[in-house]
Amino acid sequence: MARVDRMLFPPSSAQRVIPMILWPISIMMVLHKSVILGVDGARTNDFRPVYLAAWRFLNDFPVYAENYNTVDPHYLYPPSGTLVMAPLAKLDYEDARWLFIALSTISLVACAYLLVRLFGYGIGGWQMPAVLFAFFSTETVANTLIFTNFNGFVLLGMLGFLLALRNRHDWWAGVFIGLTIAVKPVLAPLLLLALLNRQWKAIIPAVLVPLALLVVAWPLGVDSADFVHRTVPYLGEVRDYYNSSIAGNGAYFGVADWLVLLLRAAFVLMAVFCLWFLYRYYRKTDELLWLTVSAGVLLTTEFLVGSLGQGYYSMLLFPLLASVFLPGSPMRNWPAWLGVYGAFTFDSLYSDRWEAFGRILEYNKVTMGWSLIMIAVFCSLLFRYLDLRRAGAAGPLLEEWPRRENEATGTGGEGAPAVATVNR
């Protein structure tokens, strides 16, 4: 039977069959999420306040005069972000929204390509349609298009930053992340990677690009100072709606302040250990693994510990998820992927039969998903560290982690040496 299978489906045919299956499905998913769901929109509309702010900016009206006591989406971009968004207000609202959806879709397709390129593959294999399929299956991509949010461009800047760092194009890396920081500073923690990797040049444009845009935009807005006096304090507050951070989740469910603080501190300590371990053992031996996992740890910690973490931020964890294809990835365990389900699923967990239970699951799924990803990565790296100490090894970690083969196979004894490295 095995011989017949090899005759009917030789290995080379799989490389042709898989793309043939995935490409049409992926293209249809892209079209469905953008042309159908995106254009239809939803009650939550992140684009409307952006468009109104751009129109007010161009017509010399106050931009930061919103009532932050409502639960409607608010405009929270700095004046530099307002300057970047201003050209949209030259169009009618509906035309501008459709254009933004189209550009976001193109950006997300470009993100899939850059992610594939980051891992050393091209557009001709099965990886590109598989990544597109994975992208557009998730809540984070779907709601970015449905709510018409800027997150797709943030992911594009992140992948451009990582790819440029990897290829030692430091100036371009700084430009990519600087443009995103000018609008949404969510990627600012990733500058730590450039510092740790001694790629100082990336920091210069990462700071100068948003600063230059801010200098240009500040005098053009009639109430730019209100961003500092009104919007920045609001950004520091913990709101109890549409907030999957630990503090936001705790505020909604009435969790005691001391427990919220304890949980936030615990995840910060987990992140510190993970970053230290990855830097010490992987930066020089497997830079791609170090970059992708460290970026994921930094951002997941930001989402959990910060004042605001929204579900569609999860798209910034795509490089962390893709690291599963690298030997030694701490994502190679099932608890991590149970967390991925919670953070990325487009499934609704509301239940008509068990209403209260379904509501709790739905409101907790992203927070619990991010938490489980962090815990799984931390435990995986902690166990490796403990194995190293037990083995007395001080060298770099390479391709596979030891599985205590002596214990599993019954060979060797207490005096048998533990091997902690394998050829890369």
Side-chain angles (χ1 to χ4, degrees):
M1 179 63 69
R3 183 178 178 183
V4 172
D5 288 344
R6 285 196 298 270
M7 292 173 61
L8 292 176
F9 303 104
S12 60
S13 68
Q15 299 176 5
R16 297 190 299 269
V17 170
I18 295 176
M20 180 184 69
I21 295 172
L22 288 177
W23 270 118
I25 296 175
S26 301
I27 291 171
M28 289 307 300
M29 292 187 70
V30 171
L31 294 175
H32 176 252
K33 296 300 190 298
S34 57
V35 177
I36 305 299
L37 297 186
V39 172
D40 282 354
R43 182 178 62 182
T44 300
N45 185 347
D46 290 341
F47 182 73
R48 183 174 180 80
V50 172
Y51 180 85
L52 290 176
W55 185 88
R56 290 169 182 154
F57 177 79
L58 291 181
N59 292 277
D60 296 327
F61 286 99
V63 173
Y64 301 103
E66 290 190 62
N67 178 10
Y68 294 129
N69 293 321
T70 69
V71 298
D72 296 325
H74 299 298
Y75 182 73
L76 304 175
Y77 298 164
S80 54
T82 308
L83 180 65
V84 173
M85 295 295 178
L88 290 171
K90 293 291 186 179
L91 303 174
D92 292 336
Y93 170 76
E94 195 69 11
D95 293 339
R97 182 173 176 272
W98 284 27
L99 175 63
F100 197 85
I101 292 171
L103 293 176
S104 294
T105 304
I106 293 170
S107 174
L108 288 164
V109 173
C111 288
Y113 174 72
L114 290 181
L115 186 60
V116 167
R117 291 297 304 158
L118 181 64
F119 283 78
Y121 299 102
I123 198 171
W126 60 269
Q127 293 85 3
M128 179 66 182
V131 170
L132 275 178
F133 178 84
F135 270 27
F136 285 84
S137 299
T138 62
E139 179 272 346
T140 177
V141 167
N143 278 341
T144 290
L145 294 173
I146 293 169
F147 300 160
T148 322
N149 194 275
F150 187 74
N151 292 332
F153 301 101
V154 177
L155 179 62
L156 184 64
M158 176 187 177
L159 288 168
F161 171 73
L162 294 177
L163 191 60
L165 276 187
R166 179 94 168 113
N167 294 327
R168 299 301 184 267
H169 300 310
D170 296 355
W171 290 101
W172 279 112
V175 170
F176 287 133
I177 198 170
L179 287 171
T180 67
I181 291 174
V183 182
K184 295 181 74 169
V186 65
L187 296 182
L190 298 189
L191 294 178
L192 179 63
L193 300 179
L195 288 172
L196 292 175
N197 213 31
R198 318 296 199 270
Q199 293 178 263
W200 318 108
K201 293 179 182 178
I203 307 298
I204 299 173
V207 174
L208 290 182
V209 168
L211 184 60
L213 290 171
L214 183 63
V215 168
V216 173
W218 193 273
L220 298 178
V222 297
D223 65 340
S224 297
D226 283 346
F227 173 76
V228 177
H229 301 313
R230 298 189 72 250
T231 307
V232 171
Y234 173 76
L235 288 170
E237 296 176 4
V238 176
R239 69 191 199 193
D240 60 358
Y241 63 94
Y242 300 134
N243 190 355
S244 296
S245 68
I246 292 172
N249 193 270
Y252 181 81
F253 287 101
V255 179
D257 291 342
W258 68 266
L259 181 55
V260 170
L261 183 61
L262 180 64
L263 288 171
R264 294 169 88 177
F267 279 102
V268 169
L269 292 175
M270 288 184 202
V272 169
F273 171 80
C274 292
L275 292 171
W276 168 79
F277 187 86
L278 290 163
Y279 175 81
R280 179 175 179 182
Y281 291 104
Y282 284 103
R283 185 176 71 89
K284 293 183 178 179
T285 60
D286 195 335
E287 188 179 67
L288 181 57
L289 182 67
W290 170 70
L291 276 174
T292 53
V293 178
S294 296
V297 168
L298 282 168
L299 292 173
T300 308
T301 306
E302 180 187 4
F303 303 158
L304 284 169
V305 175
S307 59
L308 177 63
Q310 295 183 293
Y312 48 32
Y313 290 176
S314 295
M315 72 163 56
L316 302 178
L317 304 183
F318 279 133
L320 172 64
L321 271 56
S323 75
V324 73
F325 295 105
L326 299 175
S329 171
M331 291 297 293
R332 290 189 170 190
N333 57 82
W334 67 263
W337 288 90
L338 182 59
V340 170
Y341 174 80
F344 286 82
T345 182
F346 202 37
D347 295 347
S348 172
L349 301 183
Y350 289 116
S351 172
D352 292 334
R353 185 69 177 267
W354 300 286
E355 184 175 348
F357 180 64
R359 188 180 185 87
I360 291 172
L361 285 179
E362 178 65 22
Y363 285 12
N364 277 286
K365 68 180 182 183
V366 176
T367 308
M368 294 179 67
W370 289 340
S371 302
L372 192 51
I373 291 172
M374 271 297 298
I375 292 170
V377 171
F378 168 74
C379 289
S380 177
L381 297 180
L382 177 63
F383 294 155
R384 297 179 188 190
Y385 174 69
L386 295 176
D387 281 349
L388 268 180
R389 293 197 60 180
R390 188 178 297 111
L397 307 184
L398 299 176
E399 185 170 353
E400 292 290 348
W401 198 249
R403 305 295 183 185
R404 295 188 178 89
E405 293 181 359
N406 289 344
E407 298 177 10
T409 60
T411 60
E414 293 183 359
V419 179
T421 58
V422 178
N423 292 332
R424 169 82 169 132

